[in-house]
């Protein structure tokens, strides 16, 4: 260890994502000192804001419920996904996928042993390509149990807020969200309201989803002695003789050097808010369509590249389509539009009025398909087309409009409304005959019970509560036939970027020549995803971030399988 450090820890973590805390817990259990350096004023990153779902095949909760799964099945599925995509993703080598599939359920067991209360996610949350071999048609998801932020003591207001300010589980949100077709929705909403009243009376502040996951891991890490520093941006990595020695940061506005005895873990998120990097790697996408928090600026991507780390899969993002309704950019969570266009009585068309994808399925694939389409036919924005059967049952941009369209939507020109499809087309500058033919073709498919163009509804995932409507017989198919008709723009937003530095199965950073930088680990969206260029199922970002944090810390601490 070189001299000249202001202080030294065993394990130095850059960023406070999902892997930061799982790795900290491993190190702290091994009696090692840990500092987590977070650049923003809040801990938890995009993970805290998120749904908090982790994709964990063969997990303990599936076993407890007798749901069949295995390492082999999960590997078969992930291998099939890579083959589907052409199999060229340096971050997703077969040995790394195997490390993930093997270690992810162990990491969950470990967290539970450390007092992090987890449970099975929604029981009907199928893999996103459930037509492939090895897929799971129910759910491989794991989530945290709701968490009372007050348990964080003085840090209770230092965790990044979750995406939903309610004491409601994800599954309740999915079910109650179908308020006009699910007969149980009112009861669920009443249950949530009752909980909220009780919480208020008892002085509790419950959070769920990603904030509950990060809150629970942070609580366990604080109890075990983690040193968490907020407002502490890392601006450099100290590499000597091919090994990571520490990082440079600021303390009280002055340069500060922190040494690392066992290693440095980079868990600093992606580059959602760096428009320059987006223009270079994800052209045609915009930072103000990204739902990532302000800290997601790719600092560590640039630093890892500077020190020789190999970047890959940089043209990938976890796409998540949004509709830019007036004021969308000021909302903490932007309006999810795929859960609208994938429902019955709705379709998506490009600017020529042609349907070009299954509106259901993976949101990552949805946005990728839109961007690809845009290379040959103008498709950004595309348009969601709805009829009044739709608006009688479901929301657009989180609002019911059957009793009247918000005046500001009309005055801003955001929504188009017409009594005929031809009129709607004219307002969108689309050839009326083309849009009318698209809608007629769709309605013909509905009459025959099958989407012959894109097989919408044939995947289980298309019909789950996040996409279609499991409470309606139509599920995800329904005619667009009853006036008035509506159209809104749809753009390829994201909930993360998905490419970064290549790591090996131990989580070590890999250089262009294939060698590793000793003592330098990375996880999460700072890395080239182990899922490759595909999103396997809900939790395909947080599951790997948490797991490779666990793997990296065990490797750095020299903990073997038996330990
Ligand atoms: C609304 C929403 C719902 C989502 N739901 C899910 C879901 O259910 N499941 C799922 O898998 N994915 C989900 N995602 C995506 C997922 O949240 C992210 O991909 C994931 O959380 C990224 O985690 P991470 O561990 O890589 O980093 P993050 O959780 O983003 O943490 C990185 C941290 O590093 C900090 N940082 C950055 N640079 C520096 C620096 N130089 N020095 C110090 N700190 C730095 C950042 O400020 C940030 O706090 C969702 C996203 C959103 C927005």
């Amino acid at each position: 260890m070189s001299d000249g450090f202001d202080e030294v820890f065993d394990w130095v973590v850059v960023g406070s994502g999902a892997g930061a805390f799982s790795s900290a817990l491993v190190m702290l259990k091994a009696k090692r000192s840990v500092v987590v350096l977070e650049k923003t004023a809040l801990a938890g990153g995009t993970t805290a804001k998120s749904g908090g779902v982790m994709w964990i095949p063969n997990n303990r909760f599936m076993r407890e419920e007798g749901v069949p799964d295995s390492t082999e099945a999960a590997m078969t599925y992930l291998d099939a996904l890579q083959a589907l995509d052409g199999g060229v993703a340096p971050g997703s080598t077969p040995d790394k996928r195997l490390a993930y599939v093997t270690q992810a359920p162990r990491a969950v067991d470990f967290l539970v042993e450390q007092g992090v209360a987890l449970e099975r996610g929604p029981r009907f949350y199928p893999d996103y390509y459930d037509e492939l071999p090895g897929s799971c048609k129910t759910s491989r998801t794991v989530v945290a149990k709701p968490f009372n932020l007050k348990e964080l003591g003085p840090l209770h207001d230092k965790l990044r807020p979750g995406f939903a300010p309610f004491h409601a589980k994800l599954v309740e949100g999915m079910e109650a969200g179908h308020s006009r077709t699910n007969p149980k929705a009112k009861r669920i909403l009443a249950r949530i309201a009752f909980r909220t009243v009780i919480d208020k009376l008892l002085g509790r502040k419950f959070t769920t989803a990603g904030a509950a996951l990060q809150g629970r891991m942070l609580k366990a890490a604080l109890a075990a002695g983690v040193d968490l520093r907020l407002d502490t941006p890392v601006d450099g990595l100290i590499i000597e003789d091919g090994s990571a020695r520490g990082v440079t940061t600021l303390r009280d506005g002055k340069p500060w050097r922190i040494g690392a005895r066992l290693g440095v873990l980079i868990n600093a998120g992606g580059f959602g808010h760096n428009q320059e990097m987006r223009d270079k790697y994800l052209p045609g996408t915009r930072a103000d369509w990204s739902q990532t928090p302000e800290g997601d600026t790719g600092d560590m991507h640039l630093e890892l590249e500077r020190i020789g780390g190999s970047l890959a899969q940089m043209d990938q993002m976890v796409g998540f389509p949004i509709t830019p309704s007036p004021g969308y950019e000021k909302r903490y969570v932007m309006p999810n539009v795929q859960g609208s266009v994938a429902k019955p009585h709705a379709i998506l068309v490009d600017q020529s009025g042609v349907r070009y994808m299954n509106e259901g399925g993976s949101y990552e694939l949805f946005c990728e398909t839109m961007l690809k389409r845009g290379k040959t036919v103008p498709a950004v924005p595309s348009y969601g087309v709805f009829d009044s059967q739709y608006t009688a049952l479901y929301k657009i941009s989180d609002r019911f409009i059957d009793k009247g369209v918000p005046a500001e939507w009309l005055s801003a020109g955001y929504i188009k409304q017409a009594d005929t499809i031809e009129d709607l087309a004219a307002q969108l500058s689309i050839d009326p005959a083309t849009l009318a033919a698209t809608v007629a073709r769709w309605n013909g498919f509905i009459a025959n019970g099958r989407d012959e163009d894109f097989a919408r509804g044939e995947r289980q995932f298309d019909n789950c509560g996040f996409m279609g409507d499991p409470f309606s017989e139509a599920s995800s198919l329904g005619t667009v036939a009853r006036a008035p008709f509506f159209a809104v723009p749809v753009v390829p937003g994201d909930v993360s970027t998905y490419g970064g530095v290549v790591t090996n199965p131990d989580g070590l950073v890999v250089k262009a020549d294939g060698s590793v930088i000793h003592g330098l680990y990375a996880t999460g969206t700072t890395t080239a995803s182990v899922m490759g260029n595909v999103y396997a199922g809900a939790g395909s970002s947080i599951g790997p971030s948490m797991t490779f944090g666990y793997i990296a810390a065990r490797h750095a601490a020299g903990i073997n399988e038996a330990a």
Side-chain angles (χ1 to χ4, degrees), residues 330-401:
K330 292 190 212 92
R331 290 177 49 165
Y332 190 55
V333 179
M334 294 175 193
N336 163 18
V337 75
Q338 194 183 359
S340 298
V341 293
K343 285 202 168 30
H345 315 296
I347 57 170
L348 184 86
V349 298
D350 62 24
Q351 291 178 25
S352 73
V354 173
R355 215 177 140 240
Y356 61 97
M357 68 162 96
N358 170 3
E359 292 86 346
S362 150
Y363 25 85
E364 183 266 342
L365 180 65
F366 184 113
C367 292
E368 185 180 305
T369 307
M370 184 184 285
L371 287 164
K372 229 180 242 167
R373 179 74 168 183
K375 290 187 177 149
T376 52
V377 178
V380 180
S382 289
Y383 295 105
V385 175
F386 310 88
D387 79 351
S388 65
Q389 300 175 88
Y390 175 93
T391 54
L393 298 176
Y394 312 112
K395 298 175 182 175
I396 294 176
S397 190
D398 299 335
R399 291 172 79 158
F400 285 111
I401 62 165

Side-chain angles (χ1 to χ4, degrees), residues 13-25 36 38 43-50 52-54 107 111 116 210 213-215 217-218 221 265-269 523-526 539 541-550:
V13 185
V14 182
S16 60
F21 298 129
S22 59
S23 79
L25 284 166
V36 174
E38 165 57 48
T46 311
T47 311
K49 180 177 175 178
S50 79
V53 177
M54 297 184 284
L111 290 182
V116 178
L213 176 67
Q214 291 292 69
M217 286 202 284
L218 174 57
L265 173 71
I266 314 293
N267 185 200
T523 192
T525 50
T526 307
S541 183
I542 297 175
S545 180
M546 182 281 289
T547 301
F548 279 103
Y550 166 86

Side-chain angles (χ1 to χ4, degrees), residues 219-253:
K219 184 189 164 198
L222 288 169
V226 73
D227 188 339
L228 170 68
R229 301 199 187 158
L230 303 176
D231 293 313
T232 307
V234 169
D235 53 15
L237 301 173
I238 302 168
I239 311 291
E240 288 171 4
D241 306 325
S243 296
R245 303 293 181 197
V247 304
T248 56
T249 179
L250 296 174
R251 189 152 205 192
D252 301 325

Side-chain angles (χ1 to χ4, degrees), residues 143-158:
V143 296
K145 292 188 177 171
F147 175 65
N148 180 5
L149 286 167
K150 294 279 173 75
E151 292 182 41
L152 289 177
L155 289 183
H156 71 94
D157 58 353
K158 296 293 179 202

